[in-house]
Amino acid sequence: MKINLVKLGVAVLCLIMGMETFAQQKLTLPDSSNYIINDSVMIKTKYGITLSAVVVRKKGVLQKLPAALFLFYLFKYE
């Protein structure tokens, strides 16, 4: 198997730069002064599955608005 040292070097450099950038990011708390954050919402589906959801709404908005649902699967490899 032939290894291209230039491509390998670029890949390693990208990995190091990505880790450096991620390590320097400042973590901030959610903006609870402008938003209502409900982090313990349980949604029961018609199939009997319970989904855990985080609902974020802008303060002062009373009418119903469209929503987005992001679904992440969490499972364990064995």
Side-chain angles (χ1 to χ4, degrees):
M1 182 167 98
K2 185 177 176 183
I3 297 175
N4 188 333
L5 292 179
V6 173
K7 287 184 180 179
L8 180 63
V10 170
V12 170
L13 181 62
C14 288
L15 179 65
I16 292 170
M17 294 300 292
M19 288 173 34
E20 173 93 9
T21 303
F22 182 74
Q24 291 181 359
Q25 290 178 350
K26 182 181 176 186
L27 297 176
T28 59
L29 296 175
D31 184 10
S32 59
S33 62
N34 294 320
Y35 296 95
I36 300 168
I37 302 170
N38 299 336
D39 61 356
S40 301
V41 178
M42 303 302 266
I43 303 170
K44 184 90 170 187
T45 68
K46 67 180 180 180
Y47 301 106
I49 299 169
T50 303
L51 302 174
S52 175
V54 176
V55 179
V56 180
R57 297 179 289 145
K58 191 162 183 132
K59 285 186 178 178
V61 177
L62 302 176
Q63 72 267 23
K64 291 184 178 182
L65 296 172
L69 176 65
F70 297 98
L71 182 62
F72 300 97
Y73 291 101
L74 301 175
F75 55 91
K76 182 179 177 183
Y77 284 113
E78 292 188 22

